[in-house]
Amino acid sequence: MSSYGYWMIIFAVGYTFVLIIAGQLAKGRVNRQDSYFVGGRTFNKWIVAFCITGLFSGSTYISILELSYLNGVSAIWYGVAEIVQIIIIALLIIRSFRKKMLITISGLIGDKYGRAARGMAGAITAFAFPMWSVATAIAFASAMHVFTGISLTWSVAFTAILLFVYLQGGGMWSIAFTQTMNGVLFFLMFIVGIVAFFINPGIEGLKTLMVDSPSMFAFNSVGLQVIVAWFGTFLVNVILAQAAFQMALSCKEPEEGQKGLMIAGVLAVPFIICGILFGIAAAVVVPNAQTGLIAIPLYLMEVLPAPLVGIFFLGVWGCALSWGAPCQFSGATSLGRDVGGALHPRASENQLVFYTKVSLLLLTVLMIIFGMLRTEQSAWWNVLAWTIRNSATFAPVVAALFWPVVTKRAVWAALITGFISGLAWYYLGGWQPNAFYMNIHPVWVGSSINVLTISFVTLLDPKARWYLQLGKQTGKTYAAILSGFILLAINMIYADTLYQSGLTGLFVFITIIAFFISAIRLVRPVEEKTSIELSAVAKATQ
């Protein structure tokens, strides 16, 4: 083991010890209903801001390090998509979800559509979260592998076991303590990385790279389809970002959650800028590394002494924990609270907490298995997890919020077909991160199947009680219908162009969404018709 490995292990073990203590201290905060799951709804805006920054920006930073090494400044769009998601959640989602006292998305589905839907949604959600955890664990594992010779698999296992140990203590309070402490590590990591950049390659090195590889400074070098997939995935994720909701909805008041999210959007900027800067610097100094996440530690070994490299990767360790801990905890909440509650509907709060702690162990094992299957391409794991979870739960969540006519059968069918179709499309494309079957990203296929299934099964289900509300429609309804037909025409007329640019999946999905919105506004529950008729009769008799 090199001196770099010794310093890295010393810092990581020391910080790990502090985290375990924090997890034990957090037990004292678990003293009221829902304290374990949502911190007793007592977080202020700064706690929310640190939690969301660690969650989204920590993960984004890891992905951008890798992407910028491979594709240059076009990685910025991954970060911009993240910021857009945070702002939309703050402005449109948090207030209404806080009033609903939401804990999980799978719980929202279960509250509306029953135990079976709760169990299926919870299981699918829980299955996706260890993939997100692996995505950032790979970054630290890569550095540990380079410095110590320990395999990537064992490094990922180390991360997973740590998450399990300290989350057992205080649940959401453990996460709040950790996210706040990690903020200091992020600052130190940025300082060390900037020092490394100016030592080598510096501004002159970037100028040389610009001449030798101008594509590294092109904002579209990663490919339009991939950029669109990032934005589309983050936008669809707006109403499904369960881990973010669970932390932001732990706030005292909705306003505190909104303010915290907006602060987190601002704090995301240095993660994006530094991630791109350090990734490109590594591309200059270590141009032929196996992966971007392997190149970063090799680059820092070239220019910095071992203690400083150890500090930098302690920050990367903080990123892994800041994303992995909320993901593992939120996934365990879905598995323990929602699936466990579906199987045992009379379970007490203490029993649900116990189920969640057992679920943490199961997801830890699953995270290690995922790490054994594919220990590279961090961004790939993120997008795969989003595809699986969003393809299953997008339409059911929209229905639970906006379309009362949807039946339980329709939700069950949408959960199953969306999940399977997203996975199947990745399989047909050979599980590639940037090349997809028929040039269509799996997220569009899964989400489209999800929406179509819930719509058609609802309309055909004999138990559905609906009528077609043709009169008294607003301009929004006509705009949705008109948009659907215009988009349908674009898909037909420009089919070849859309296919060549990789936009077929996106435009088909948007077309389906336009008709989905039209159906939500036109197909209304029979109870509404009765209410309207009674109201009209009452007015006529006055």
Side-chain angles (χ1 to χ4, degrees):
M1 183 186 301
S2 67
S3 60
Y4 293 92
Y6 284 118
W7 279 103
M8 187 175 182
I9 294 297
I10 290 170
F11 282 135
V13 170
Y15 190 59
T16 298
F17 182 72
V18 173
L19 290 180
I20 293 173
I21 293 175
Q24 295 303 309
L25 292 175
K27 284 184 177 180
R29 297 294 189 100
V30 185
N31 53 13
R32 52 182 289 186
Q33 182 80 3
D34 282 341
S35 288
Y36 186 78
F37 296 107
V38 286
R41 312 274 187 191
T42 58
F43 288 5
N44 61 34
K45 63 184 179 183
W46 288 107
I47 295 178
V48 172
F50 285 128
C51 285
I52 298 299
T53 298
L55 174 73
F56 283 136
S57 296
S59 169
T60 295
Y61 175 76
I62 297 298
S63 295
I64 289 178
L65 279 177
E66 175 189 7
L67 292 166
S68 60
Y69 176 83
L70 298 173
N71 303 108
V73 299
S74 61
I76 193 174
W77 298 116
Y78 191 97
V80 173
E82 174 225 338
I83 293 177
V84 170
Q85 175 191 226
I86 292 173
I87 292 173
I88 293 176
I89 291 173
L91 296 179
L92 302 180
I93 303 296
I94 286 300
R95 186 179 293 272
S96 61
F97 276 12
R98 178 63 174 79
K99 290 179 180 178
K100 295 178 184 292
M101 303 298 281
L102 180 85
I103 294 180
T104 62
I105 290 298
S106 46
L108 172 67
I109 295 172
D111 290 342
K112 184 72 175 179
Y113 301 110
R115 288 169 55 191
R118 181 189 299 271
M120 283 191 283
I124 291 169
T125 301
F127 180 69
F129 272 112
M131 297 181 186
W132 282 307
S133 301
V134 165
T136 47
I138 288 171
F140 183 79
S142 298
M144 183 176 289
H145 171 67
V146 170
F147 295 147
T148 67
I150 298 173
S151 71
L152 287 172
T153 300
W154 281 108
S155 299
V156 170
F158 174 73
T159 307
I161 292 168
L162 169 65
L163 294 175
F164 171 74
V165 170
Y166 86 86
L167 284 174
Q168 284 287 321
M172 184 55 69
W173 279 112
S174 293
I175 291 173
F177 287 169
T178 302
Q179 302 293 67
T180 303
M181 292 165 59
N182 285 340
V184 178
L185 298 188
F186 299 151
F187 177 75
L188 295 175
M189 175 180 63
F190 293 153
I191 296 297
V192 171
I194 291 170
V195 169
F197 166 76
F198 280 106
I199 293 174
N200 190 17
I203 302 298
E204 292 302 318
L206 293 188
K207 291 180 180 179
T208 302
L209 182 65
M210 188 176 296
V211 174
D212 295 339
S213 301
S215 63
M216 292 290 285
F217 295 88
F219 284 92
N220 62 347
S221 61
V222 74
L224 180 61
Q225 184 183 28
V226 175
I227 294 172
V228 169
W230 291 341
F231 274 92
T233 302
F234 275 115
L235 289 175
V236 170
N237 199 53
V238 161
I239 62 170
L240 302 172
Q242 177 172 297
F245 294 154
Q246 200 168 350
M247 292 187 293
L249 297 176
S250 298
C251 56
K252 297 176 183 177
E253 301 292 339
E255 293 76 14
E256 289 290 299
Q258 286 182 313
K259 292 175 183 177
L261 281 160
M262 296 303 288
I263 294 170
V266 175
L267 294 177
V269 174
F271 286 84
I272 298 170
I273 294 174
C274 289
I276 292 172
L277 186 66
F278 303 157
I280 292 178
V284 174
V285 179
V286 188
N288 298 312
Q290 181 181 356
T291 68
L293 295 179
I294 292 292
I296 298 297
L298 293 174
Y299 158 60
L300 292 174
M301 288 175 65
E302 291 279 339
V303 297
L304 291 176
L308 291 182
V309 175
I311 291 174
F312 182 91
F313 281 99
L314 187 59
V316 174
W317 178 236
C319 290
L321 297 179
S322 292
W323 174 257
C327 286
Q328 289 294 88
F329 181 66
S330 194
T333 302
S334 281
L335 188 58
R337 184 183 179 89
D338 295 330
V339 178
L343 296 175
H344 187 189
R346 296 184 180 180
S348 66
E349 183 74 9
N350 288 336
Q351 286 176 308
L352 293 177
V353 170
F354 173 74
Y355 296 159
T356 300
K357 291 184 176 182
V358 173
S359 297
L360 275 171
L361 178 59
L362 296 177
L363 295 190
T364 298
V365 175
L366 192 57
M367 180 179 168
I368 294 171
I369 292 173
F370 288 156
M372 294 171 64
L373 293 176
R374 190 163 185 158
T375 49
E376 74 271 2
Q377 296 168 328
S378 170
W380 180 87
W381 275 112
N382 277 332
V383 176
L384 175 62
W386 273 315
T387 298
I388 290 173
R389 198 273 308 273
N390 294 3
S391 294
T393 59
F394 173 72
V397 169
V398 173
L401 295 173
F402 304 112
W403 205 15
V405 303
V406 170
T407 63
K408 292 181 179 180
R409 290 176 182 172
V411 171
W412 300 341
L415 287 167
I416 294 170
T417 57
F419 175 77
I420 292 175
S421 60
L423 266 182
W425 206 261
Y426 256 118
Y427 168 76
L428 292 173
W431 307 102
Q432 295 300 310
N434 297 320
F436 310 112
Y437 183 64
M438 295 181 64
N439 210 22
I440 299 175
H441 196 289
V443 72
W444 307 129
V445 175
S447 298
S448 296
I449 295 294
N450 187 237
V451 173
L452 290 173
T453 301
I454 205 169
S455 301
F456 284 117
V457 174
T458 292
L459 296 176
L460 298 174
D461 191 341
K463 291 188 176 182
R465 292 173 50 81
W466 57 269
Y467 81 105
L468 201 59
Q469 187 184 64
L470 297 176
K472 295 183 179 180
Q473 287 295 337
T474 66
K476 294 179 181 179
T477 303
Y478 298 119
I481 296 172
L482 180 61
S483 298
F485 281 107
I486 291 174
L487 287 165
L488 183 61
I490 291 173
N491 277 291
M492 296 172 65
I493 296 170
Y494 298 102
D496 289 339
T497 302
L498 293 175
Y499 176 80
Q500 294 298 328
S501 59
L503 296 178
T504 300
L506 170 64
F507 271 77
V508 169
F509 177 67
I510 295 175
T511 304
I512 291 170
I513 289 297
F515 286 120
F516 187 42
I517 294 171
S518 303
I520 290 173
R521 299 188 68 85
L522 290 171
V523 179
R524 304 305 302 168
V526 172
E527 292 78 8
E528 283 188 12
K529 181 179 181 181
T530 304
S531 177
I532 292 172
E533 292 174 346
L534 291 175
S535 178
V537 171
K539 288 182 179 180
T541 57
Q542 287 179 353

